[in-house]
Amino acid sequence: MSRNMNSINMKKSFLFTVFLLVTFFSFSQQINEYRPISKMNSDEKEMYDILQKSVMALLNNKPTAKLFPVFKIKDEKKVFVFSSLIYDEPYFQTYDEGSGTATYTVSLHFTKKIEPKEYPEVGESGNGTGYGTSSTRSERNYKTPVEYYLSVDYAKSGNSFQDRTLLSVKKDKPYFDNKFTGVKLWKSNGGNVVNPLLYKIDKENYVSYVDNEIAIYKKDSLFGIINSKNKVIAPFKFKSLRIYKMGILAQENKTFYFIDRKGIKISKNYDKVEVNFNQRFDAVLDCFKVKIGDKYTLVNNNFEEKLPLIYDKINFFNYKNVLTKLLLERNGKKVIFDIAKWEETKMIYDFIEVLDDKEMIVSEDGKFGIVDYDGAVILPLLNDSINYLPNYSTKGLLLVVRKNKKSALYVNRKFLTEFEYDTITSMFGSIKVEKNKKFGLIDATGKTLLPLEYDALEYIKKGKKIEATKNGTITSFDLNELYKK
């Protein structure tokens, strides 16, 4: 906190502390929400000046960090907000349909003074006092010049010890008639808003991206690009233009390719492009997926193909919720691809389905089994099918394994029954089994609840009953009581 060290009896005003909080929530806004700076009053002009100086200090006096010649105010019960707009480094979306944005809202959030506070006399304890002592009332009543300070700090995080001062100024009269107790500076992603000083774009035209150098917008149903001198650098012939780190993805009819910020083509033609086919994929591999003809490959940000063009599908392989493998498909085969080694593994099957974070169901030549993620066989590929038991919850995934037209119950690498049943189906917390057209009931451990001697079993939701039919006679069983036996 600054103090006048030359005056030992100086009174002080409160200290304005301005925090910069950077957030990245996106919201749409139009330039017509703002007013031109020519409409500002004296206080608003001073706020605009403070906002501009703070932003320039934060961005190291970057020449392009100029406020738009517009402002907006919001006067609430406890807070007064003064806002404008700037262009800064692009923020890119993490999904294919989105584009980037370089427009940011910068706002001063003033906290209103609810009850004015009188500052203590010099020599008394409390905020705002100066250095020195005083022993007589006449000395305490001695009037000295009052200096008013405004300090602008950048709060990098919620920890105030990491703050750094961006700007510190003083004046000989209160800031904004002493109406506020403090002010915070916010910077947030602001959609795509056109600076009228730079671009001459009709309001009815949709703008998908704009910064200090270029504006991408739609005119007569097609997209094009102009530069800050309002010269067309990419003609208005594109079905879509989306900006990414590696360039601007252009779609012309059914063909995709990338152009740079001067409108020059920088990649080959693609039939399909998926920049972020998984939101975490780009951060791990720094690649994106493209289709050329009827095959897929991965391309890096220099447009180099990182896989041979032989794959019918390329997918993220969700293994332990991390990206270490890919699931590829070629010539009807599913292939596990190791990212760290950047090569196909020996795990090549007709069918692959994730079972849990340790194992997967696979098939080859019509036979099914279970392997772990290193390829070790857990259940040999000798079975006709392996299926989840639907609508059933247990500590492990309950599976129905079928072989030679008979089914068995399997969980946690263990068979709970022999291959003796014609069918195994779930029945509201229990398991119905069938053998030779007779039905019975078992639990998730394979324990018999009702023997295999009934012609039909039906669950009655009201009362949680099982109605068992045998030789035309219906017997009702309480399902909870069956589990107690």
Side-chain angles (χ1 to χ4, degrees), residues 221-406:
S221 300
L222 294 172
F223 284 90
I225 307 175
I226 62 172
N227 61 19
S228 58
K229 296 180 180 180
N230 290 283
K231 177 182 177 182
V232 175
I233 58 175
F236 289 84
K237 66 176 183 177
F238 299 100
K239 186 176 180 180
S240 70
L241 287 170
R242 301 199 300 267
I243 190 164
Y244 295 101
K245 290 184 293 185
M246 72 290 291
I248 301 168
L249 177 59
Q251 181 183 1
E252 185 177 358
N253 298 319
K254 295 183 178 181
T255 301
F256 297 84
Y257 53 87
F258 283 87
I259 60 177
D260 63 15
R261 295 170 70 91
K262 296 181 180 180
I264 300 172
K265 186 176 179 180
I266 54 176
S267 77
K268 64 168 61 174
N269 290 345
Y270 306 114
D271 293 290
K272 188 176 182 180
V273 176
E274 296 179 43
V275 174
N276 301 105
F277 65 96
N278 183 279
Q279 290 186 6
R280 294 167 292 181
F281 190 90
D282 183 59
V284 176
L285 290 184
D286 206 22
C287 291
F288 56 97
K289 182 169 69 172
V290 301
K291 185 178 184 181
I292 303 174
D294 59 352
K295 301 297 180 181
Y296 286 90
T297 184
L298 294 179
V299 176
N300 66 15
N301 288 346
N302 294 321
F303 308 106
E304 299 168 333
E305 295 176 13
K306 305 300 291 183
L307 289 175
L309 194 64
I310 60 174
Y311 295 103
D312 303 304
K313 292 182 180 179
I314 299 176
N315 291 307
F316 170 75
F317 191 69
N318 195 5
Y319 160 66
K320 291 186 177 181
N321 204 32
V322 294
L323 183 57
T324 59
K325 294 177 173 63
L326 297 174
L327 180 60
L328 311 180
E329 186 173 331
R330 57 174 173 80
N331 301 323
K333 295 288 187 179
K334 304 285 197 291
V335 183
I336 302 296
F337 185 88
D338 189 303
I339 292 175
K341 296 179 179 179
W342 202 253
E343 64 182 15
E344 291 186 357
T345 68
K346 295 181 179 179
M347 291 181 280
I348 303 174
Y349 299 100
D350 296 330
F351 172 86
I352 296 176
E353 182 179 4
V354 172
L355 185 58
D356 54 27
D357 62 357
K358 298 178 182 178
E359 301 168 357
M360 53 189 173
I361 300 172
V362 299
S363 75
E364 183 69 19
D365 297 328
K367 295 298 181 180
F368 289 78
I370 298 175
V371 301
D372 67 16
Y373 287 99
D374 293 321
V377 176
I378 306 302
L379 185 65
L381 279 73
L382 302 173
N383 307 287
D384 300 320
S385 67
I386 301 176
N387 296 298
Y388 297 100
L389 193 64
N391 302 321
Y392 197 88
S393 177
T394 184
K395 290 183 179 180
L397 289 172
L398 201 56
L399 302 176
V400 177
V401 181
R402 190 165 180 83
K403 181 170 64 174
N404 299 326
K405 299 182 179 181
K406 295 294 181 179

Side-chain angles (χ1 to χ4, degrees), residues 50-312:
I50 292 169
L51 187 57
Q52 180 65 86
K53 289 178 179 177
S54 300
V55 170
M56 292 298 287
L58 173 70
L59 301 178
N60 299 316
N61 293 313
K62 185 188 296 185
T64 57
K66 298 288 187 181
L67 295 182
F68 286 22
V70 295
F71 75 104
K72 179 175 66 173
I73 61 173
K74 183 169 64 173
D75 195 353
E76 298 181 339
K77 183 177 179 180
K78 295 182 179 181
V79 179
F80 181 89
V81 182
F82 181 90
S83 304
S84 190
L85 300 160
I86 63 167
Y87 290 138
D88 197 12
E89 295 299 321
Y91 168 68
F92 296 100
Q93 305 284 4
T94 57
Y95 52 89
D96 272 314
E97 291 75 15
S99 190
T101 176
T103 308
Y104 293 83
T105 301
V106 284
S107 305
L108 294 172
H109 290 239
F110 294 90
T111 302
K112 292 183 177 180
K113 182 183 289 187
I114 306 300
E115 294 181 1
K117 296 180 181 180
E118 293 185 2
Y119 291 93
E121 296 284 355
V122 175
E124 297 178 356
S125 61
N127 293 330
T129 61
Y131 287 106
T133 60
S134 179
S135 59
T136 67
R137 182 172 296 276
S138 61
E139 289 178 333
R140 289 197 297 269
N141 291 336
Y142 178 76
K143 295 183 178 180
T144 58
V146 179
E147 293 179 336
Y148 297 88
Y149 287 80
L150 183 142
S151 177
V152 181
D153 290 344
Y154 168 43
K156 188 174 183 180
S157 68
N159 187 346
S160 61
F161 293 103
Q162 296 183 3
D163 296 353
R164 64 183 177 90
T165 299
L166 296 174
L167 179 70
S168 183
V169 293
K170 67 178 181 178
K171 61 190 298 188
D172 58 1
K173 63 180 181 178
Y175 283 93
F176 314 116
D177 297 325
N178 229 12
K179 294 182 293 189
F180 308 112
T181 60
V183 59
K184 294 181 180 181
L185 176 65
W186 291 73
K187 179 188 176 190
S188 58
N189 177 246
N192 283 294
V193 183
V194 175
N195 186 340
L197 286 182
L198 291 178
Y199 300 102
K200 308 301 179 185
I201 301 175
D202 292 339
K203 291 182 178 180
E204 61 269 17
N205 291 328
Y206 167 70
V207 178
S208 64
Y209 178 82
V210 59
D211 61 23
N212 279 301
E213 297 177 346
I214 62 170
I216 302 174
Y217 67 97
K218 183 186 255 187
K219 184 172 69 174
D220 298 329
S221 300
L222 294 172
F223 284 90
I225 307 175
I226 62 172
N227 61 19
S228 58
K229 296 180 180 180
N230 290 283
K231 177 182 177 182
V232 175
I233 58 175
F236 289 84
K237 66 176 183 177
F238 299 100
K239 186 176 180 180
S240 70
L241 287 170
R242 301 199 300 267
I243 190 164
Y244 295 101
K245 290 184 293 185
M246 72 290 291
I248 301 168
L249 177 59
Q251 181 183 1
E252 185 177 358
N253 298 319
K254 295 183 178 181
T255 301
F256 297 84
Y257 53 87
F258 283 87
I259 60 177
D260 63 15
R261 295 170 70 91
K262 296 181 180 180
I264 300 172
K265 186 176 179 180
I266 54 176
S267 77
K268 64 168 61 174
N269 290 345
Y270 306 114
D271 293 290
K272 188 176 182 180
V273 176
E274 296 179 43
V275 174
N276 301 105
F277 65 96
N278 183 279
Q279 290 186 6
R280 294 167 292 181
F281 190 90
D282 183 59
V284 176
L285 290 184
D286 206 22
C287 291
F288 56 97
K289 182 169 69 172
V290 301
K291 185 178 184 181
I292 303 174
D294 59 352
K295 301 297 180 181
Y296 286 90
T297 184
L298 294 179
V299 176
N300 66 15
N301 288 346
N302 294 321
F303 308 106
E304 299 168 333
E305 295 176 13
K306 305 300 291 183
L307 289 175
L309 194 64
I310 60 174
Y311 295 103
D312 303 304

